Amino acid sequence: MLELYGTSLRSRLLLGSARYPSPAVLTAAVRAARAEVVTVALRRESGGERAGQGFWSIIRGLGVRVLPNTAGCHSVKEAVSTAHMAREVFGTPWIKLEVIGEDDTLQPDVFGLTEAARILCADGFEVFPYTTEDLVVAERLLAAGCRVLMPWGAPIGSGRGLNNLFGLTALRAHFPAVPLIIDAGIGVPSHAARALELGFDAVLINTAIAQAGDPAQMAAAFAQAVEAGRAARLAGPIEPRDLAAPSTPVIGTAFRG
């Protein structure tokens, strides 16, 4: 079981709700993924607007836990204000905190992120910060009160997978007891399996599923990949070697002189 802020989850696959071609396709993908947590950006939801209420009704009907998102925020003030509105609209202390610092890569502004996290944690929010693999930033976020970290694998929507294996592996090793969720950049199920094999606790997928030719089929593939990656991690994979190691013993075998 995956535990996030005291909530136990069976699934280690979290889904974003943006960019799906239709509500019906989103519904089918969430069900195929067997996801228990779905992120919703308040700006897309539009709070009290009629279209927003319709979207929110669809999410409620899925029976999932909502993780509101401050997507599109570029400052501490904007992110904190959006988080407060999200808590009021969705009725949850959970918030996926994004403070974007660079438009081309959508890289987090880690300075603004840690400040916003400090403010929101002090105000009773349970913060899921979208961050980098930087160890110092991770320490600052944990000191601010975060109990979950969401490092990127690659830029949002890029589909490039896990760009910095060394940094991500170091992050996992430095914080063995902290739930770590790979957020952003995963493009295919093998990327998700690799993340779980490395010891990450879950992955959050949006674009790779929403923009697939068949989102529901891709969601099912990601669900299988996450389960396979987690099972492999628990099974204890062998360490990579520089030289070949025969799988069949040679001692005692017949040979011709």
Side-chain angles (χ1 to χ4, degrees), residues 31-44:
R31 289 175 175 163
R34 302 188 299 277
E36 297 174 86
V37 176
V38 172
T39 66
V40 177
L42 182 64
R43 289 166 179 255
R44 182 176 184 279

Side-chain angles (χ1 to χ4, degrees), residues 133-167:
E133 67 275 18
D134 189 283
L135 298 178
V136 177
V137 175
E139 288 278 13
R140 298 283 177 86
L141 289 168
L142 295 173
C146 299
R147 289 161 52 194
V148 176
L149 299 176
M150 301 184 77
W152 66 347
I156 293 172
S158 68
R160 297 182 62 86
L162 308 180
N163 270 358
N164 184 358
L165 282 176
F166 174 81

Side-chain angles (χ1 to χ4, degrees), residues 48 99-100:
V99 182
I100 300 301

Side-chain angles (χ1 to χ4, degrees), residues 84 87 92-95 117-127:
H84 278 277
R87 183 163 64 178
T92 176
W94 280 19
I95 191 72
R118 183 190 63 78
I119 294 169
L120 292 173
C121 288
D123 199 30
F125 283 87
E126 295 174 343
V127 179

